[in-house]
Amino acid sequence: MSETILEKAEGRVSYHDSVEEMLKRIREDGMSNVFDRWTKQEKIRCKFCLQGLSCQLCSQGPCRLNDKGEPDKGVCGIGPDAMAMRNFLLKNIMGAGTYSHHAYEAFRTLKATGEGKTPFIIKDTNKLKWMCEKLGIDTNQEINQMAIQLAELLQRQQEIGEDDDNLMVEAFAPKKRKELWKKINVYPKGTIHEEQNCVASCLTNVDGSYKSLAAKALRLGIATIYNSQIGLEMVQDILFGTPMPHEVNVDLGIMDPDYVNVVFNGHQPWGGAATIQKAKLDEVQERARAAGAKGLHVVGSIETGQELLQRFQVDDVFVGLMGNWLSIEPLLATGTVDVLAMEENCSPPAIDHYAEKYQATLVSISTIIDLPGLEYKIPYYPEKVNEMADELINLAIENFKKRKGKVTPMVPKITQKAIAGFSTEAVLGALGNKLDPLVDVIAAGKIKGVVALANCSTLRNGPQDWNTVNLTKELIKKDILVVAGGCGNHALEVAGLCTLEAANDIAGEGLKEVCNLLKIPPVLSFGTCTDTGRISMLVTALADHLNVDVSDLPIAVTAPEWMEQKATIDGIFAVAYGAYTHLSPVPFMTGAPKLVKLLTEEVEGITGGKVALGDDPVEVANNIEAHIIDKRKKMGLS
C-alpha cells in the first residue's frame, strides 16, 4: 500500500473517528467486538481455504488440494479450478437468494398496497405507468389494478424457466449485450430458476468443469440484476418515490440519548417507512414525551437506512443514517438505542451482549432473521406492517424508561452532511433530461470516465473503509466521476465525499468544473448494494444513446472492500455486463491457476469484461485510469 496512506492507517481499526472513539469504550467495557475478533481469527487462517482448495460437501471430505502437487484432486476426482469455482458459485447463490428474497417482499408489498391492505400508497404513479408500458401491461386502467398486475408479473419473472420469455432482460438490458449473451449462451431465465440450476450443479459429482460453473455464475448474475434487483428498486420507487438529491445527516453523532430511538437495520424499507409515517403523528410524539423523552426519532442503519435516506427528508423524526455494518456494535455502545429492528441481512450474531450491556431491545421484523438474545419476533406481512410499527414504537418507549438513568450515554460529537438520493432520473434531470451534456463533458475530457463503486466494508485489507475512501479520493482527483452503492457508499457519505465541498477540495479541475456547474458532488450516492441494478440502468442508457456496447465505454466497476455473498453476485454480473471489475481483497481462488486466468484474462475476449485485482488504492486508481484512457482512445476521444 502507498506509504503515506499506510502511515495514516497505522494503529487504526477504522477510517472514521467516531468508530475509533466508540471502540475505546467498547474495549474498556470488556466487550467482544468485530475488530478484535478479526485479529484473533487472522492468527489461525487456513491456507487451503484462502486459496479456494478446500471442500466439505460430502462425507469423504474435507478434501484439501495442494497447489504445488499431490494431492491435486479431491476424493471424487474434482480438480483445483473446478473446486474453487464451485465454492465461489455457492457464494453467488446465497447472494442471489438474498436479492430474490428482497424482491419477493417488494412485489408482495406492492400487490398488497394495490389491494388497499397496507398503510402505503402509490407515490410515483408515473414510474408505475412507465414500468407497465415497458412490460406490456395495459395502462388504461385504475392505478391500483395496474400495481397488482405489475407485482404479479414481476414475481412471475423471477420464476420463469426455459419455455418463458425474459421480459425484464428484454426491457432493461443494453441492446448489444442481449445479442452477445445469446451468442455465448449466458442469456438468463428467472433468478429462482437460475438459483435452482446452480444449486443442483454444485452437488457432488454433477458439474466438475470450471468453465461450465463459471458460465452458470454469469447467467445467475445477469438474472439477479434484471429479474430481482431492478424490479424491486423500481417497486420501492413506485411506493416511496423515485430518489432525488437532497441533503442528509450521517455518522454516529445523529444519535440523541434524550429521545426514544428506533433504529432500522438490514436492507428492506417496509418497517422503517411505516414507522416514520406513524412517528409523525402528534399522539406518538406526545407518548414519548410522557415517558420522559424529548420525542421519538427513527434512525437508519446500513442498507435499510440508505433506502430510507434515498427517499425521505431528514427532519425532526427521521434523523439520518448512522453508517455501515461495521459500525453496528459502536452504535449500540452509544447507549442510545431503544429498539434495533432487523430484517434481511447484516445483523451480527454477537450483538446480544451489547443489547444487555447498553439496554437495547432486539427485534426481528423479518421471516428470516434470528440471533442469540433476540427478544421479539414480528414477521413481516405487508397487511400487518401498521401493527408492526405500533409494536416497535411501544417497545421503544418502554425500553427508554428502562434505559434512562441506567446507561451512561456516550455519543461522538461527529455528524457529517451528505447529498443522497441520486437515480438515473435525478442524473438526467440535472442534465436537462438528455444525455448529451454528459457525453459532451466526457468527450471534452472534463470527466475522463465513470466508475461504479458497489461495495461492502471489510477488515481483510485494512481498517474499516480505508481502501474504499482512499481509492475514491484518488479517482476523483483524476477527474473520474464515482457512482456509489452499498456499505461502501455509506463509507463515502460519512467520509464527506458526497458533498459539493469535496468537489472543490479534492476533485480534479475538470470534474470540479462539472460538479460546480451541475451542483452535484464528485461521488453520487446511488443507494444500496441492491442499487447495482439502478447504476446499470444509467450505464445502459449511455450505451444505447451512443449505440455502442457497454464494454466500449470509458467506465469501470470497483469493489475495494467486498465482504460477502451479495458482493460476489454483483461482481460476477459486472464481468458479464462487460465491465473492468476491480476486486479487493483477492477472492479465495488463488490456488486455481486456470480459473484465475479465465477470470482475469480470457473472459475479456468473451464478455468484454474481466476481473482486476489490487489492494493499493493509488495503484488501483492508476490501473483504472489507464483502462479508461484506453477506452477513450478506442472511441476516438483525447
Side-chain angles (χ1 to χ4, degrees), residues 519-530:
K519 298 292 186 279
I520 60 172
V523 176
L524 304 185
S525 171
F526 252 66
T528 72
C529 55
T530 306

Side-chain angles (χ1 to χ4, degrees), residues 39-320:
T39 303
K40 292 176 183 177
Q41 286 292 332
E42 183 66 349
K43 296 175 182 177
I44 58 170
R45 301 280 177 207
C46 167
K47 72 167 189 173
F48 296 96
C49 295
L50 289 171
Q51 295 172 334
L53 302 183
S54 174
C55 178
Q56 303 175 35
L57 290 184
C58 82
S59 66
Q60 299 175 116
C63 287
R64 304 194 300 184
L65 306 188
N66 190 335
D67 62 340
K68 301 290 189 282
E70 293 293 336
D72 62 351
K73 288 182 172 61
V75 173
C76 70
I78 196 166
D81 301 290
M83 182 182 282
M85 186 62 226
R86 188 168 65 182
N87 289 336
F88 189 60
L89 181 56
L90 278 167
K91 293 182 176 70
N92 285 328
I93 296 165
M94 284 187 277
T98 312
Y99 282 129
S100 60
H101 172 264
H102 186 163
Y104 162 74
E105 299 284 35
F107 304 155
R108 71 174 181 146
T109 301
L110 179 62
K111 183 178 180 181
T113 300
E115 293 170 340
K117 297 177 180 177
T118 78
F120 308 133
I121 59 170
I122 307 301
K123 190 166 184 181
D124 193 334
T125 56
N126 289 333
K127 178 152 282 186
L128 172 63
K129 291 176 181 177
W130 175 75
M131 280 290 288
C132 288
E133 287 169 357
K134 295 279 281 185
L135 296 170
I137 294 174
D138 180 15
T139 57
N140 293 314
Q141 56 180 318
E142 195 265 332
I143 288 293
N144 287 324
Q145 192 59 38
M146 239 189 295
I148 294 168
Q149 290 184 16
L150 177 61
E152 292 172 344
L153 183 148
L154 290 172
Q155 183 55 34
R156 286 197 305 272
Q157 280 288 295
Q158 285 212 109
E159 301 165 358
I160 57 171
E162 297 297 338
D163 300 325
D164 303 300
D165 294 328
N166 196 320
L167 302 180
M168 290 297 288
V169 172
E170 285 302 311
F172 294 105
K175 290 180 288 188
K176 294 183 181 292
R177 280 286 106 180
K178 288 182 281 190
E179 298 166 8
L180 175 67
W181 291 337
K182 289 175 181 176
K183 181 180 176 182
I184 64 175
N185 196 31
V186 296
Y187 190 97
K189 293 304 176 181
T191 315
I192 293 171
H193 177 82
E194 298 297 344
E195 289 165 3
Q196 180 181 358
N197 272 8
C198 290
V199 168
S201 297
C202 289
L203 193 71
T204 304
N205 297 337
V206 173
D207 190 339
S209 164
Y210 73 94
K211 290 184 178 179
S212 170
L213 291 164
K216 289 168 182 172
L218 293 177
R219 285 171 62 105
L220 179 62
I222 300 166
T224 300
I225 296 297
Y226 291 102
N227 294 78
S228 296
Q229 279 194 19
I230 288 178
L232 77 88
E233 281 298 335
M234 296 304 100
V235 163
Q236 289 173 178
D237 290 354
I238 289 166
L239 289 171
F240 305 122
T242 297
M244 289 293 161
H246 56 281
E247 191 173 71
V248 298
N249 296 324
V250 295
D251 211 339
L252 295 177
I254 65 173
M255 302 303 297
D256 190 330
D258 294 325
Y259 280 79
V260 176
N261 291 303
V262 186
V263 180
F264 287 89
N265 183 76
H267 283 68
Q268 301 177 11
W270 329 116
T275 305
I276 288 172
Q277 287 183 199
K278 187 79 68 169
K280 290 184 182 294
L281 299 175
D282 290 338
E283 62 207 62
V284 170
Q285 294 297 327
E286 183 52 44
R287 283 182 55 212
R289 287 190 286 269
K294 291 181 178 179
L296 185 144
H297 282 167
V298 174
V299 180
S301 174
I302 69 162
E303 308 289 60
T304 296
Q306 190 69 48
E307 288 286 0
L308 299 173
L309 208 65
Q310 293 295 95
R311 297 174 176 84
F312 289 87
Q313 296 288 333
V314 167
D315 54 22
D316 55 356
V317 172
F318 176 54
V319 295

Side-chain angles (χ1 to χ4, degrees), residues 98 101 265-268 340-348 351 362-372 374 376-380:
T98 312
H101 172 264
N265 183 76
H267 283 68
Q268 301 177 11
L340 182 67
M342 301 168 286
E343 35 68 23
E344 209 168 89
N345 54 324
C346 288
S347 293
I351 57 175
L362 303 181
V363 186
S364 168
I365 56 170
S366 165
T367 55
I368 64 173
I369 287 290
D370 204 343
L371 65 158
L374 190 70
Y376 299 94
K377 295 181 182 179
I378 313 174
Y380 175 64

Side-chain angles (χ1 to χ4, degrees), residues 496-511:
L497 298 186
C498 297
T499 62
L500 299 178
E501 289 76 15
N504 294 316
D505 296 342
I506 303 172
E509 290 302 315
L511 180 56

